[in-house]
Amino acid sequence: KAGVTQTPRYLIKTRGQQVTLSCSPISGHRSVSWYQQTPGQGLQFLFEYFSETQRNKGNFPGRFSGRQFSNSRSEMNVSTLELGDSALYLCASSPALLNTGELFFGEGSRLTVL
Amino acid sequence: KQEVTQIPAALSVPEGENLVLNCSFTDSAIYNLQWFRQDPGKGLTSLLLIQSSQREQTSGRLNASLDKSSGRSTLYIAASQPGDSATYLCAVNRDDKIIFGKGTRLHILP
């Protein structure tokens, strides 16, 4: 059974640009959640999507957005990139809602903003 | 506001020793608590999930306990091995939000 797949694995952008990250969950999983990991702040919850609907959102500005498609694949977009957006972005999938079951993480997308 | 703390931030122990990692949280009204392992530059691997109604979970050499009333969880690793070296994170789930501790970086000395 394939795990959670994130693309791209590494990317470099400049300030002001935008970026789109992709996450393919484990087959049959309907919940996809996104996280930002930095050395200073640790791992922080961005948002969760379930059945194409955003269920909840962490404390991040509106520049961070996402969506989920009918096949449960999800994308995350960050607009008007800032230096502080440099981080490892992780997604996780779960067979049910985030607050009920085990989370399975991808390897992450490492974003560097210059 | 829920806060999750893991102490110590780093730990080194000789191979073969049993060890305990700690996780504390400020709000006891949680749905579940999960322990993860993270290798450098990688994603997280789920180790154990404890629902709020449970007191402990076991998987192989790992045992995790949960005491909601005191806001504490422990991860016990028996007979540690060099391959156990990694960062261990706990995460608390409540109100559709998940809060992570900053982790304990574990180094097993051969």
Side-chain angles (χ1 to χ4, degrees):
Chain A
K1 196 174 187 178
V4 178
T5 304
Q6 290 188 246
T7 57
R9 290 293 314 280
Y10 303 91
L11 65 167
I12 300 173
K13 295 285 187 179
T14 57
R15 280 187 306 173
Q17 288 187 310
Q18 73 165 9
V19 66
T20 298
L21 309 178
S22 178
C23 175
S24 293
I26 292 172
S27 178
H29 286 194
R30 296 169 64 188
S31 168
V32 174
S33 49
W34 288 89
Y35 306 84
Q36 181 195 66
Q37 188 175 34
T38 59
Q41 297 299 316
L43 196 60
Q44 294 181 285
F45 170 76
L46 281 158
F47 32 66
E48 180 197 10
Y49 284 87
F50 186 87
S51 295
E52 302 179 62
T53 301
Q54 185 181 93
R55 288 198 65 251
N56 48 68
K57 184 175 167 65
N59 296 323
F60 280 83
R63 300 186 297 108
F64 292 81
S65 63
R67 59 178 175 169
Q68 187 179 34
F69 302 96
S70 58
N71 62 357
S72 293
R73 189 178 71 85
S74 177
E75 289 183 346
M76 189 193 99
N77 183 273
V78 188
S79 62
T80 319
L81 284 166
E82 300 176 0
L83 296 178
D85 296 332
S86 294
L88 179 67
Y89 289 89
L90 294 163
C91 82
S93 75
S94 179
L97 294 172
L98 171 67
N99 61 7
T100 59
E102 193 174 1
L103 293 178
F104 298 85
F105 279 82
E107 293 283 277
S109 293
R110 183 165 295 283
L111 170 65
T112 301
V113 182
L114 302 176
Chain B
K1 178 187 172 186
Q2 179 74 275
E3 293 184 4
V4 180
T5 304
Q6 292 186 250
I7 296 174
L11 181 65
S12 292
V13 300
E15 180 180 1
E17 284 199 2
N18 303 325
L19 59 100
V20 173
L21 305 180
N22 297 296
C23 172
S24 61
F25 46 95
T26 54
D27 189 336
S28 62
I30 64 172
Y31 295 140
N32 57 54
L33 184 145
Q34 197 162 356
W35 282 93
F36 297 90
R37 166 192 173 130
Q38 185 175 31
D39 293 289
K42 303 286 189 180
L44 279 66
T45 300
S46 175
L47 297 174
L48 290 164
L49 169 69
I50 311 177
Q51 300 292 352
S52 63
S53 58
Q54 298 174 319
R55 294 298 301 263
E56 66 177 337
Q57 283 286 338
T58 298
S59 176
R61 295 182 295 110
L62 306 178
N63 175 276
S65 68
L66 175 64
D67 183 346
K68 284 199 310 177
S69 62
S70 65
R72 296 178 64 180
S73 176
T74 61
L75 178 66
Y76 174 84
I77 303 177
S80 59
Q81 304 170 358
D84 294 330
S85 296
T87 296
Y88 290 79
L89 298 99
C90 67
V92 170
N93 217 323
R94 188 213 168 182
D95 290 341
D96 294 336
K97 297 274 171 62
I98 183 167
I99 309 294
F100 287 82
K102 294 202 172 180
T104 294
R105 191 169 62 254
L106 176 65
H107 182 48
I108 305 300
L109 305 168

